[in-house]
Amino acid sequence: MNLIQHPELLDKLAAAHALGTLRGGARRRFEAMAREQAPVRAAALVWQSRVASMNELQTPQQPAPAVWTRIENLVQGESQQQAMAAARSATAKPQPGDWLRSLALWRGATAAGALATVFALVTAVGLRDNLGAQINELQAQLSATPQIEYVAVLNDDQASASMLVTFDPKNGKLTLQRVGGFQEASDKSLQLWALPPSGGPRSLGVLSQERLLQLTAGEGDVREVPALAISLEPKGGVPSERGPTGPVLFKGALIQKMI
């Protein structure tokens, strides 16, 4: 199936991949397609940035001391059961059905350990207070997400993703997120350029050194523009009519999402 022709399915798979619910062969196939197809890779990066931003909004919480006490009690109980079972098996003559009881004990101990681990993890992230309220909050955050209609993944000369660019025409905002490790010197600036099918490059703005930033733009600035590029320029950038004067570091196709 060509995911690019099924944008709703692509969006759902990208969300599941970012949340960690896409597993096994399906996850491997999705990652293989993301390596080969820029629109799939862009969708994955968009959802990774959404999930990362939601994690930053969560207030860290420490589990109560009673939680650790209960976990210790469960672990100690498991150890005592295993020791008693080992002692009985060492002194008693094996009887038919003993292996079934041992299997049941092993399963019970494993389940207790797993339960303790899950309980600790759930408590540590603060979901014990009100899971329903937190889910509603996340849904509200997602519903408030800007309406992204244009996406570009700008790669360096090694074909490694270095900048994720999205455009929200409703609010007139270009959002740029650094996904690589490049950092320009203090006396240099990165400048974003639209590369139209005819005519010279047009400047869309000068980037700050922040990893996530926004530039103001109209849909006319990006409509029918097949690609974007970022060049390294003197501090503060250069006038648009001059075009890039420094090396072009990152470049990639600008894709309009199918609605």
Side-chain angles (χ1 to χ4, degrees), residues 110-128:
T110 302
L115 178 62
T117 302
V118 171
F119 187 78
L121 289 174
V122 170
T123 304
V125 296
L127 296 182
R128 55 179 167 79

Side-chain angles (χ1 to χ4, degrees), residues 127-222:
L127 296 182
R128 55 179 167 79
D129 294 329
N130 191 336
L131 181 59
Q134 293 194 12
I135 290 176
N136 291 337
E137 181 181 352
L138 291 179
Q139 290 176 338
Q141 292 172 3
L142 287 177
S143 63
T145 300
Q147 183 63 45
I148 296 172
E149 292 188 13
Y150 296 82
V151 178
V153 179
L154 307 188
N155 300 321
D156 59 18
D157 56 1
Q158 303 297 319
S160 298
S162 298
M163 189 79 69
L164 171 65
V165 183
T166 60
F167 179 62
D168 172 15
K170 179 179 179 182
N171 297 305
K173 294 294 182 182
L174 272 166
T175 300
L176 296 92
Q177 181 173 355
R178 299 178 188 238
V179 294
F182 179 83
Q183 186 64 56
E184 64 274 23
S186 59
D187 62 341
K188 299 290 184 179
S189 292
L190 296 181
Q191 191 161 356
L192 179 66
W193 301 88
L195 305 180
S198 60
R202 298 195 310 267
S203 176
L204 295 177
V206 178
L207 282 60
S208 68
Q209 293 192 341
E210 298 175 351
R211 291 195 64 83
L212 182 65
L213 63 111
Q214 287 188 327
L215 300 174
T216 300
E219 188 168 8
D221 295 325
V222 299

Side-chain angles (χ1 to χ4, degrees), residues 60-84:
Q61 298 188 24
Q62 293 295 328
V67 174
W68 298 114
T69 300
R70 288 194 290 270
I71 293 173
E72 290 176 358
N73 291 338
L74 284 170
V75 173
Q76 291 176 0
E78 175 186 346
S79 299
Q80 291 174 359
Q81 288 181 351
Q82 291 177 342
M84 292 173 61

